[in-house]
Amino acid sequence: MTEWYKIAFGELYPLVYPHRDVAEAAKVAARLTPLVASARPTLDVACGNGRYMSALAAGGADVYGVDLSEYLLAEAVKQGLRGRVVCGDIRALPFATGVFGSAINMFTSFGYFETDDDNAGVLREIARVIRPQGAFVLDFINAARIRRTMTPRSRRVAGDAQVEESRELSAQGRVLTKRVRVEWRGRDPVEYTERLRLYARDELTAMLEGADFHVRDVHGDYQLGPFAADASERLIFVCERRGPVA
Ligand SMILES: C[S@@+](CC[C@H](N)C(=O)[O-])C[C@H]1O[C@@H](n2cnc3c(N)ncnc32)[C@H](O)[C@@H]1O
């Protein structure tokens, strides 16, 4: 079976997540730049269409990106991407050990794999390619808020398509599945189910520490305000790679 993320992050992605655009990334990147720009180069892990890469580069960062979606990487290049991209899997980053000064993983590009060990493996890979003392920013969703505010079903028009989304939580509330159905005029409908492991703050902290990161700060929104378990929309970790100075 084709993994859901290979379907979801193709041409359907801009229809399903239209609000996650370049303008949003530019605002957020202004706050990220001081955290990563001096630790060169920076790797955007699961960079998608490169919206964060271009925004960070505009602020003076030297940026590389890696993503599995050939479609989104081609979009990145078409849109005049600033930085260099590689097509690859975040479970086995196609880079040598210690070549990056910093890394980011933005907009819930984590928790996609079936096992906790596979998800933790992504953090271990990021730690492998960053030098000691390097910065890493992980931008995840706040699971507690999702559990409280989730809309089970929604339907909207997106361009010349109708997008229907049905959301469900697993029995222990640890896995969020979202069935997406896109109906186009004159084309066959497409359907897939996203699967996201909803890690809580403590779980992610333990995973980051286990991957040799020290968690410096935890924020709850893109303004980098404090995290509040019940209310915050995001769960953003600012970390430092442990290890001796080279
Ligand atoms: C929610 S999007 C976010 C993209 C980007 N960080 C942003 O903020 O626009 C998640 C990204 O993860 C990528 N992705 C999913 N699974 C992946 C994998 N196994 N290896 C590399 N990239 C993957 C998708 O192709 C997609 O671009």
Side-chain angles (χ1 to χ4, degrees), residues 52-245:
Y52 277 100
M53 293 178 62
S54 292
L56 287 174
D62 175 17
V63 206
Y64 289 71
V66 59
D67 200 282
L68 201 58
S69 169
E70 286 177 16
Y71 176 85
L72 289 177
L73 293 178
E75 283 296 300
V77 174
K78 239 193 269 171
Q79 289 162 20
L81 170 81
R82 296 180 62 176
R84 283 145 287 189
V85 285
V86 179
C87 189
D89 196 304
I90 54 178
R91 286 168 289 189
L93 291 173
F95 303 104
T97 298
V99 290
F100 291 100
S102 53
I104 59 170
N105 176 259
M106 301 303 294
F107 183 40
T108 328
S109 303
F110 185 77
Y112 293 170
F113 308 118
E114 291 278 335
T115 69
D116 289 340
D117 193 53
D118 270 0
N119 289 320
V122 174
L123 301 180
R124 290 193 293 270
E125 269 297 88
I126 297 170
R128 180 182 66 76
V129 300
I130 303 181
R131 289 188 290 278
Q133 280 76 55
F136 172 46
V137 177
L138 173 65
D139 163 34
F140 198 60
I141 205 160
N142 178 13
R145 187 170 182 275
I146 287 287
R147 289 188 197 105
R148 210 164 39 77
T149 61
M150 188 184 82
T151 314
R153 189 176 285 264
S154 55
R155 195 177 168 86
R156 64 194 152 83
V157 176
D160 60 354
Q162 295 263 351
V163 180
E164 190 183 294
E165 293 165 309
S166 322
R167 301 168 186 83
E168 221 175 278
L169 286 167
S170 65
Q172 295 88 22
R174 292 164 142 242
V175 177
L176 171 68
T177 50
K178 182 163 94 173
R179 192 180 61 82
V180 180
R181 181 180 166 85
V182 180
E183 287 170 18
W184 318 71
R185 207 175 311 137
R187 286 174 65 170
D188 288 340
V190 183
E191 217 174 283
Y192 62 88
T193 301
E194 295 182 5
R195 180 193 184 280
L196 186 67
R197 171 69 164 88
L198 291 177
Y199 291 108
R201 175 185 179 160
D202 289 354
E203 290 175 303
L204 269 179
T205 301
M207 287 166 90
L208 285 160
E209 298 280 343
D212 257 346
F213 285 109
H214 170 60
V215 174
R216 288 209 161 281
D217 290 301
V218 181
H219 301 287
D221 55 45
Y222 286 133
Q223 286 73 49
L224 301 189
F227 176 75
D230 286 341
S232 292
E233 196 179 323
R234 308 299 305 171
L235 172 57
I236 301 173
F237 292 87
V238 178
C239 311
E240 184 185 303
R241 170 79 164 89
R242 289 186 202 280
V245 185

